[in-house]
Each structure stands twice: as structure tokens, then as C-alpha cells.
Amino acid sequence: MENVTVSIAAILLEAARFLRGAGVPDASFDAGLLLGHLLKRDRTFLITHAEEVLTEAQLENFRELVARRASGEPLQYIVGHQEFFGLDFEVSPQVLIPRPETELLVETALDLIKESALICDVGTGSGCIAISLLYKVPNARAEALDISAEALQIARRNAQKHSVDNRIEFKLSDCFNEIEISPRFDLVVSNPPYIAESALPGLQREVRDHEPRIALTPGGDGLSVIKRLIREGHLVLKTSGHLLIEIGFDQPDAVQESVDEKIWKLVELEYW
């Protein structure tokens, strides 16, 4: 982008044009959010102060942010947070960006658990699932598991931010490997890596090139972690407990075939 004008209105138009040319959807929205993030101001401020002039340092910093977005870096990683279930979560390239469809997993869990529930969140990432559940259910407790120490650090900060850190325990664990194996949880919930390795090239560049590969795919057909949760989940669940797993839109048949009806009662299988 050429340094022609420095007013808020002009630079937003220029940035949106630049982002649009780089193939960024919602270019105007992203430009406004990036400038608001830089200035620590909301969209209303940008509109009402459209003729305000940016300093050279602000302009340079803004252009750096825009260039990062134009290269495909997700907006959420640039600004460092993402809203999920009405709460604001810190995110970084060490964790998967929380998505609206995963909110359906939280809604389903809220319909199933009681006030005193003990929850196990497998592959917690940013902690968005477990933390949202604890935020909504004041007497519930959780163990949040992940194989990434960096992800657990972010999840801990999110738990502190939303004042649920006294009711959640974070553990570095590959599925259930490092936790007590006993039927004690009321709910096991997971948004595991489930994308088939062969599908990775077709993903949006923001996802394919920037989100943690380990949180996207376990390799192969994408089903290995799901099958493991089904195979081992009953060992840590109470008799009346539930296992909730987010799966891909093309995986219901394969998942259903993995369910041992002698162990599990398949209550519902939905995809969208």
C-alpha cells in the first residue's frame, strides 16, 4: 500500500482494498477490527473520528498488521483473542481457534450435566469448552487434558480470566494416559483432531497454514482419536455418564461402526 493519506477513513479504505486483492473475505470488517485493535478503540470511534490523522508509527504498525492478514494469518491470532459462547478467549498459534459449531457441543453438554458434575475435556486447547461449562455451571468441576504444554498455559490464563481456575485442573496427557483411570466423570467432552490428512490441502489457507496441525488431524483418515475416545471413554465415565465428541460432517457412518453397543448406548448422532 502506498503512503498517500493517513486519515482513519482513507487508510481503512486502502487497507480494505489491499486485503480484498489478497483474497481476504470480509476485508472491510477485518481492516476495521485491526485498526480498532491497534488503537484500542471500538468501531464507533473509527466511524465518528474518520478524519482523525494517524501518526507515522500508528500507520506503520497498522500496515504490518494488514500485511500479516493479507498473507493468510488468521485475524484471531493477530488480535490475540476470539469470542466463544459469550466469553472472550485468548488464542495463539498454539491453539485451535474456537468456532461457532463447537458451541453446539457446549449447549448439548449443558442439557446433560448437573450442578455438581465432574467434567473431562480431552484436547482442551484454549480451554473454551471446559471453561464455558464451568462458567455456566457454578458448582461443576473439570479436568482439562492436552498433549501441548503451550496450549495448557493459554488455557490456564483463560480459566483465570473467567474466574473458574479454582474448579479446573489442567493435565499434560495424551487422551487418558496421564490421569486416574476410574469411573468418576459425569461427562467426557472433546473436540478432537478429526480432519483426514488427505483433506488438509483443500482447507482454507488460514486453517491449513496457521492453525496447529496436531489439533487439526491425527493423520490417516482422521478417525484415530475419535475411535480411541470411544474405546477408552467408558473406563473413566460413571454408569450414567455421557461422552460427547465433535466429528466431521462425513464421519457419522464410520463413527457409528466404531460404537460397541455392548458398552455404549448411542443416544444421538448429528452432523452439519
Side-chain angles (χ1 to χ4, degrees):
M1 293 183 295
E2 296 182 1
N3 186 2
V4 178
T5 58
V6 293
S7 73
I8 285 177
I11 201 61
L12 282 176
L13 285 173
E14 182 102 358
R17 191 178 302 119
F18 184 76
L19 290 174
R20 200 172 294 114
V24 174
D26 302 319
S28 296
F29 176 84
D30 284 13
L33 199 149
L34 288 172
L35 186 56
H37 169 70
L38 176 67
L39 301 179
K40 295 181 172 56
R41 299 286 190 172
D42 61 18
R43 188 169 294 274
T44 300
F45 176 89
L46 300 182
I47 294 171
T48 57
H49 293 75
E51 300 308 313
E52 186 169 308
V53 173
L54 298 178
T55 67
E56 289 186 12
Q58 288 171 335
L59 183 60
E60 182 179 352
N61 290 337
F62 178 59
R63 284 179 169 166
E64 289 177 358
L65 297 180
V66 171
R68 288 170 61 185
R69 183 68 190 98
S71 73
E73 185 174 352
L75 184 67
Q76 294 90 337
Y77 289 158
I78 298 173
V79 302
H81 63 93
Q82 168 68 19
E83 182 180 328
F84 179 84
F85 217 73
L87 301 175
D88 189 68
F89 286 87
E90 175 188 342
V91 294
S92 81
Q94 282 69 50
V95 299
L96 199 68
I97 297 168
R99 287 167 166 77
E101 54 265 31
T102 305
E103 293 183 351
L104 298 174
L105 203 65
V106 175
E107 291 174 355
T108 302
L110 288 173
D111 289 337
L112 294 172
I113 61 176
K114 299 178 181 179
E115 278 290 321
S116 58
L118 178 59
I119 301 160
C120 181
D121 179 16
V122 182
T124 194
S126 66
C128 63
I129 295 174
I131 291 168
S132 296
L133 289 172
L134 296 188
Y135 190 85
K136 292 291 186 180
V137 187
N139 293 320
R141 294 172 296 119
E143 291 183 20
L145 319 178
D146 207 288
I147 59 174
S148 166
E150 293 82 3
L152 290 176
Q153 290 177 357
I154 293 171
R156 285 189 184 95
R157 290 197 292 270
N158 282 323
Q160 292 167 356
K161 179 178 182 179
H162 297 298
S163 302
V164 300
D165 50 304
N166 63 327
R167 293 186 285 125
I168 187 168
E169 187 175 359
F170 295 98
K171 294 185 178 181
L172 189 65
S173 183
D174 180 1
C175 285
F176 308 114
N177 278 3
E178 304 302 324
I179 69 168
E180 175 193 339
I181 302 300
S182 63
R184 56 200 177 88
F185 292 106
D186 298 284
L187 176 73
V188 173
V189 63
S190 181
N191 177 16
Y194 58 73
I195 297 173
E197 193 168 16
S198 61
L200 290 177
L203 298 177
Q204 287 183 316
R205 59 177 179 163
E206 285 84 353
V207 178
R208 181 190 64 236
D209 298 338
H210 295 276
E211 297 203 54
R213 180 68 60 95
I214 198 170
L216 293 172
T217 181
D221 62 5
L223 290 165
S224 61
V225 178
I226 292 173
K227 289 181 177 179
R228 185 175 173 189
L229 289 169
I230 294 172
R231 187 171 64 250
E232 301 175 6
H234 71 99
L235 300 174
V236 298
L237 274 171
K238 295 178 181 178
T239 304
S240 59
H242 293 85
L243 172 64
L244 298 181
I245 309 173
E246 180 172 322
I247 65 174
F249 72 94
D250 56 347
Q251 294 174 327
D253 290 343
V255 170
Q256 189 162 5
E257 290 175 3
S258 301
V259 175
D260 185 342
E261 295 182 358
K262 296 177 182 178
I263 298 174
W264 297 104
K265 178 182 179 182
L266 186 60
V267 177
E268 192 168 3
L269 189 62
E270 292 185 354
Y271 60 97
W272 43 86

